[in-house]
Amino acid sequence: MFAKTFGCCRKVYNLMLSDKIEGYKATGKFPAVTPAKYKKDYPYLKEVDSLALANKQLDLQEAFRNRFSKSRKEKNGFPKFKSAKHSRKSYTTNNQHGTVTIIDNRYIKLPKVGKVRAVIHRIPDNAWIIKSATISQESDGKHYISILFEFENAANPYVADKTNAVGLDYASDGLYVDSNGKVGTNHKYYRESHDKLAKAQRKLSHKQGSKKHEVKSNNYIKQLRKVNKIHRHIANQRLDNLHKISTEIANQYDIVCVESLNMKSMSNKGFGNGKATLDNGYGMFLSMLEYKLSDRNKYLVKVDKWFPSSRLCHRCGILHPEMKDLTIRKMQCDCGLTISRDQNAAINILNEGLRLLTEVA
Ligand SMILES: [Zn+2]
């Protein structure tokens, strides 16, 4: 039923898109389209969850809005037809008075599908209300359901203590260095998985189907699933680690000062560390920190990326132009201070962040 629903969603999306394009050719306007009109010609559409199809209509509307909106700086391209091979297999259904429910923390009930045995990763609170469920099949062949809940946010009376603050400096070889000199890292977990991945990919390259015009053998497809499974495992490990570290910081500190980074320019070749940057997901880490702190009535302060955090001596304030050279890992100042480049930057970010905070308050 999942496979059938993915297929029907794709079919309806493509039919609606095609009708919009044809309508535009005939009248000069994009007509409104709904999934309902296709059910006569394609009766099998009636067999799947109608809300899944209705949500595809919303997706298409969104795609058109993004294409033609004037306010967005970067417009999206014209909506594309979804191919059977390359499109993401997923659909979303909404909970209507209990049509989506979790049963005994072991099953999920879904419209048209019924009870599905599932591993529930996080037991929801009784007061939470299920809004929708998105069912997807990932490249490792497994099915996942992600459930959206709604709940009342209890007023949090906590007032942040502005003396309990820390500064973080981005570190390309780890994750960050904080103003106390502590290093937050990301890499120790999944070195092992990377070795496994390399091995699995090497094996894949020997199977029939790895070359461009070869017919893909069953063994190739089997091995590809294994490779994708390891990819997913690595992504999960990374996410898990980022969650752990960001939660720890959000629990420990009330004010966290960071440098706002332009991730695009950091990952470019000129910087010489593109791979490491993309790999450790610092941007994702910052957005986790932001919402976790805000949930606790605490603050994330972003210092301007042009602030010369790594070039100022935090003790006497003198500018050290030589620190522009990233290979210099220690700052030696005439005032007598010798400190690691990253910790000095983190202290400067902390001080600048606190200054900005008092300016606002
Ligand atoms: Zn100094």
Side-chain angles (χ1 to χ4, degrees):
M1 182 51 90
F2 286 153
K4 195 165 164 180
T5 312
F6 297 145
C8 287
C9 283
R10 192 172 58 81
K11 178 80 186 168
V12 157
Y13 188 94
N14 287 342
L15 285 169
M16 289 189 295
L17 178 55
S18 151
D19 278 355
K20 271 190 179 287
I21 294 169
E22 292 307 315
Y24 184 82
K25 281 182 191 160
T27 66
K29 271 184 182 165
F30 289 110
V33 286
T34 65
K37 64 176 272 206
Y38 306 113
K39 289 186 180 174
K40 215 186 237 167
D41 288 338
Y42 305 94
Y44 58 83
L45 295 176
K46 287 183 209 160
E47 293 164 25
V48 303
D49 187 347
S50 61
L51 282 170
L53 304 180
N55 280 319
K56 287 295 155 188
Q57 182 194 348
L58 298 181
D59 287 352
L60 184 64
Q61 277 169 6
E62 171 87 20
F64 269 85
R65 252 200 311 279
N66 289 340
R67 172 62 185 87
F68 294 106
S69 122
K70 286 183 184 107
S71 63
R72 285 175 62 115
K73 273 184 198 149
E74 280 175 69
K75 282 183 191 168
N76 288 7
F78 193 82
K80 287 192 181 79
F81 288 102
K82 299 209 180 291
S83 89
K85 254 191 192 165
H86 301 295
S87 69
R88 194 176 143 69
K89 295 187 176 91
S90 92
Y91 74 90
T92 299
T93 186
N94 307 77
N95 180 26
Q96 291 183 317
H97 310 292
T99 52
V100 179
T101 39
I102 297 174
I103 303 167
D104 301 333
N105 293 324
R106 294 201 304 148
Y107 299 95
I108 298 176
K109 194 182 91 178
L110 294 164
K112 295 271 184 183
V113 179
K115 256 165 89 177
V116 186
R117 180 85 175 89
V119 178
I120 313 287
H121 289 279
R122 189 173 160 199
I123 308 297
D125 197 281
N126 277 332
W128 296 0
I129 300 157
I130 295 180
K131 300 302 286 179
S132 66
T134 299
I135 296 90
S136 62
Q137 186 179 23
E138 299 299 327
S139 53
D140 59 7
K142 285 188 185 169
H143 289 89
Y144 295 83
I145 305 180
S146 122
I147 297 182
L148 180 71
F149 291 94
E150 184 182 69
F151 56 87
E152 292 285 326
N153 212 348
N156 186 347
Y158 186 77
V159 178
D161 169 8
K162 285 179 186 161
T163 60
N164 183 21
V166 71
L168 307 181
D169 180 45
Y170 167 77
S172 66
D173 50 351
L175 186 64
Y176 66 84
V177 174
D178 78 13
S179 43
N180 305 312
K182 194 183 159 212
V183 182
T185 62
N186 204 3
H187 286 283
K188 61 184 173 197
Y189 282 101
Y190 54 98
R191 180 90 333 141
E192 206 176 302
S193 307
H194 274 288
D195 293 345
K196 229 169 136 186
L197 179 65
K199 215 169 162 184
Q201 271 168 335
R202 210 159 41 237
K203 227 169 152 185
L204 182 69
S205 70
H206 296 309
K207 305 277 182 222
Q208 192 208 315
S210 63
K211 291 188 190 69
K212 221 177 177 182
H213 298 291
E214 272 176 2
V215 179
K216 289 179 175 45
S217 64
N218 277 335
N219 281 334
Y220 175 86
I221 290 163
K222 250 166 88 189
Q223 186 62 23
L224 184 64
R225 285 235 159 131
K226 277 185 196 163
V227 168
N228 287 336
K229 204 175 159 184
I230 301 171
H231 270 302
R232 201 173 162 80
H233 184 65
I234 291 173
N236 285 340
Q237 280 183 314
R238 178 182 311 160
L239 208 61
D240 184 58
N241 187 48
L242 292 179
H243 271 301
K244 272 182 190 147
I245 298 179
S246 54
T247 300
E248 222 170 81
I249 295 175
N251 285 340
Q252 191 178 351
Y253 296 103
D254 286 18
I255 312 284
V256 181
C257 306
V258 298
E259 216 170 358
S260 65
L261 295 173
N262 181 350
M263 295 316 283
K264 227 176 201 169
S265 76
M266 298 219 49
S267 64
N268 73 16
K269 282 181 199 128
F271 217 87
N273 58 10
K275 187 154 185 272
T277 311
L278 290 178
D279 215 43
N280 68 23
Y282 193 69
M284 200 185 277
F285 171 68
L286 289 189
S287 61
M288 284 178 183
L289 260 183
E290 191 160 25
Y291 81 76
K292 286 176 187 182
L293 286 163
S294 144
D295 276 355
R296 292 162 173 78
N297 269 8
K298 298 174 168 184
Y299 299 94
L300 182 78
V301 187
K302 286 183 183 166
V303 170
D304 191 280
K305 66 179 172 202
W306 302 117
F307 175 71
S309 57
S310 57
R311 282 177 284 144
L312 288 174
C313 166
H314 82 265
R315 193 199 271 172
C316 68
I318 273 185
L319 200 63
H320 290 252
E322 78 276 9
M323 296 306 288
K324 262 191 175 168
D325 181 351
L326 290 170
T327 57
I328 303 177
R329 303 310 302 169
K330 262 198 161 41
M331 173 181 275
Q332 279 185 316
C333 186
D334 291 338
C335 73
L337 181 74
T338 303
I339 188 171
S340 92
R341 169 196 189 86
D342 294 331
Q343 190 184 354
N344 180 63
I347 295 172
N348 281 326
I349 288 168
L350 169 64
N351 292 338
E352 175 67 4
L354 290 176
R355 190 187 67 80
L356 289 173
L357 203 63
T358 49
E359 214 169 62
V360 175

